[in-house]
Amino acid sequence: MRLRRGIAVAGVAGGVAVTTMLVGLVTNAVSEQSQWPGWLGWLQEHAWFSFVLLGVVMVVGTGLLAALPEARTPVQVAEPPRQPEDRSGIPGAALVLRSLPRDTAAFTDRAAELERLMLSVRASQEHNEPLPVHVVDGMPGVGKTTFAVHAGHVLSERFPDGQLFVNLNGHTPGRNPVQATEALASLLAAAGVPTQQIPMGDDLGAVTEARAAMWRGQLADKKALLILDNVASYQQLEPLLPGGGGCLVLVTSRKRLAANEEVVLPVEALPPGHAVDLFVRLSGRPAHSLDRAVVATLVRMCGYLPLGVSLLAARLRHHPSWSAEGLRERLVAARDRLGELRAGERAVTATFDLSYRDLPQERQSFFQGLGRYPGTDLDAYVGATLGSLSVSEARRHLDALYDDHLIDEQPGGRYQLHDLLRDYARGLATEESASMDDAQTITRVCTYYLAALVDANSHMVRAGAHAPPPPEGASEVETPPMESRATALEWLENERPNIFACIRRANSLDLHGFVIRLAAAMAPFLRQAGPWDQAVGLHRTAADAARRTGDRRALANALAELGVVRRFMAAYPEATEALNQAVVEYEAVGDQQGKADALNQAGIVWYLTADTESSARAQTEALALYREVGDRFGLANALADLGMVRRQTSHFDASMEAQTEALSIYRELRDRYGEANSLRDLGVVHCLLGDYERATRQHQAAFDIYRELDDRVHQAYALNELGLVRRLTGDLDQARDAHTQALEHYTELGDRFGRANSTRHLGVLERVTGSVTEATRLVEEALRAYRDLGSRGGEAAALSELGVVRGLVRERDGAVEAFQRSLDILRDLGDRCGEAEVLNHWGMLLRASDNPAGGREHFERALSLAREIRCPFEEARALEGIGRCDGAIDGPAQAEGALREALTLYRRLGVSAEVEAIERLLATQAG
């Protein structure tokens, strides 16, 4: 077989060579300048024969190529990574507890295993060596998680920096294992990392690697305890491991995950004597009242597994009239009913069956419902929904099932089924009824979540904004009280993994309406809390569901949300594509409101990418649509965004007009967030117009509202604007404090753009106070960040300042290059105020370089621009520059007129440093 393949490959290779040669001969057939030697020359002279021969060779080559796939010799390739079962793209999330689950009374003597763990930890810490990963493995029901939690409680004092518990669903029935990248996002959020700082993107491998690196950085030099429960594979585990050696990682898994650096702690079934002791303790009976031989038989019949022993003992405790012998007879009968199961399964399942049949009928039905719930854990409200009960009844059932050892209790009044019990509960329904029961369960629980999300979104959505409506039957659903934004956020974080699991299950059952509505209802939370790549997956799923049902309005809504999230991720081409598609879909269904929203968002993207013409056009069209449909909130948003575009293009009057109208509407709607945004932007415009007192008042008012809303990102933006005004008015210490506070906020929150702004402003302060080297470092750092982010406006501002500091160290060519590149960008953006500033900087460089005539030319151009757009500070700077150049060229007498004009403007602006400088110059010239 290999020989045939080799011949085929050789034939093709030879054919390619001959074909190449013949093409060359044919194309040179009529050439008098290129002659081939020997017999090749004869072929060259007979061009038609060469053409025929070329065709034959190509046919033969094609045949050989076609024959290649027939060679069936296996090819050795690398084994592909294991794919998750669900490839729908629906996001998942890990359930992360910020504290250990409660220690259980069912824990019995695991002294040998615990001592081995203690010795390993103690030895590593005493010798200052890295702690190895400890893997607790064993068969289902043997008590791996119980052991890990108990050990965690025993060791917690050695790890004062915190304890985290993560269920990775490695073997949970009805759930896919949590992907490492999803677990990392949840772990980072639990560790306090802001959403904006968590790496995200479309390259799953790169995102996982980046999140893993950040996670390792978070735990560096920390002493923390991490329990990774229910791990499916080493591939799932490895990215979650801390980088430093001071953290203890306990892993539980049914599989052996041995690696060189790990300590494996196998947990076996209990020794017979320990199993008997556990049974006696949990039965609530005096030891002397029990026949120890019968008890020994009972624990042997359930395989000496702690889970089975606990359930059997609970049966005896809840039935005071039963004897151990009577319990044994019932267990024998249960085992007989399960004769078709394998011996290992039969041992523990018989105890489940006995416990289940001992429940009242209504509790049996409730227990079955828990098995059909796709989430990881639940509270009494979800329990009430699953059982079609009141919350008080559901709480009574949950407490009773916990007493019966059929469910586990989690912090915060939440409960969880052991994987084996979940599997058992799911198997109680007949095959015929299972599908129908699943659909009914998912319908009920999705309706519950939609109703609860209405309450949560009342705290998440801005005043006046549209929120998803409640579902049909919402009035019949009991939902938890959410009295504040903090309460709503806590509930959303707790339920996020469960809601995603329900969406996944609804999608698999073709309940596309619930997929669409839950995605829309989760959108406000995901916009703010992220992770945004998780939101991308959810909205893509909703879009697919809408396409399957032919619901074009729902498709438009999903695409619009996708575009918004892509904008947050700075993925501007993808954002534009999604929003443009949304506009098309809204037009197709005649939804003017939706079209206006999509245009407004597209306009923001174009503003961010410096396409001010397209941005203004989109916002203007959105304005007209909002007025047509009477949407005051949308109207205010479009006005505010249009005002920003007008400011960017130095149309200050139009900008103030738009922002002032937007501010009035926001106040009418009592939208504090919108009010603060408009105040801040009005402050920016008034600063550019030289009204520094009013700018300060507006920035301070915006800052106060942001602080009231606990919006630290926008607090930082307001601080930067306040710092700028204070620098311009000569209060350099207050300016430095404001920019430093802003930088700290941005760094903590992971806002790279805001951090770049603060860094640039601090660089200007360093230059003004004479620290040119530090100024250069800061400005270059900001420039790199702006370029990484694709912010052309930021890049232009940084290049302008870089030109100034290069001029101060006599790098004239570098300064000119920076000024020119800055001007090119600013002219593309239509930012004439920024252009005037750069021309003034350039004029100062030329004047300092003994070229006052060239400097005067640049100042004249700056003066013309500044007067055209009414930018008084740059007008004053240009007049000052003209006066100084005139003085250098023609003497002091020629300088006085321009300098006095500049002085008048500086006094009006209240910039004391510039006033004093010109007064000194005029006094010197007069003397």
Side-chain angles (χ1 to χ4, degrees), residues 876-895:
R877 287 183 66 214
L879 286 166
E880 179 187 356
I882 290 170
R884 289 180 181 273
C885 289
D886 285 346
I889 297 170
D890 299 319
Q894 296 299 319

Side-chain angles (χ1 to χ4, degrees), residues 704-775:
D704 291 342
I705 295 173
Y706 291 137
R707 186 165 53 186
E708 172 192 321
L709 297 173
D710 195 26
D711 185 337
R712 297 185 67 200
V713 171
H714 285 88
Q715 284 178 47
Y717 277 101
L719 282 168
N720 263 346
E721 300 299 346
L722 278 168
L724 173 60
V725 177
R726 285 166 180 160
R727 172 171 65 80
L728 290 172
T729 54
D731 191 347
L732 301 186
D733 289 339
Q734 288 292 319
R736 188 182 302 277
D737 287 346
H739 292 314
T740 301
Q741 285 184 57
L743 180 63
E744 290 170 356
H745 282 337
Y746 287 132
T747 301
E748 183 179 342
L749 296 169
D751 188 322
R752 294 178 62 203
F753 179 73
R755 179 182 167 82
N757 286 338
S758 296
T759 302
R760 174 172 58 83
H761 286 307
L762 287 169
V764 176
L765 278 171
E766 294 294 340
R767 186 255 298 172
V768 170
T769 55
S771 301
V772 179
T773 301
E774 179 63 7

Side-chain angles (χ1 to χ4, degrees), residues 453-497:
L453 282 165
V454 170
D455 294 340
N457 282 333
S458 68
H459 299 287
M460 304 298 295
V461 176
R462 288 166 57 186
H466 298 285
E472 292 182 12
S475 59
E476 303 171 7
V477 177
E478 286 188 79
T479 58
M482 299 187 209
E483 299 169 352
S484 66
R485 176 181 169 81
T487 307
L489 281 170
E490 182 181 8
W491 181 85
L492 284 159
E493 285 292 358
N494 284 334
E495 296 293 353
R496 179 207 300 259

Side-chain angles (χ1 to χ4, degrees), residues 216 498 520 552 604 678 854:
R216 291 191 294 270
N498 302 323
R552 298 191 72 175
I604 295 173
S678 284

Side-chain angles (χ1 to χ4, degrees), residues 7 207-208 363 382 395 602 663 738 798:
I7 291 171
V207 170
T208 302
R363 195 158 300 144
V382 173
R395 189 171 285 118
L663 178 62

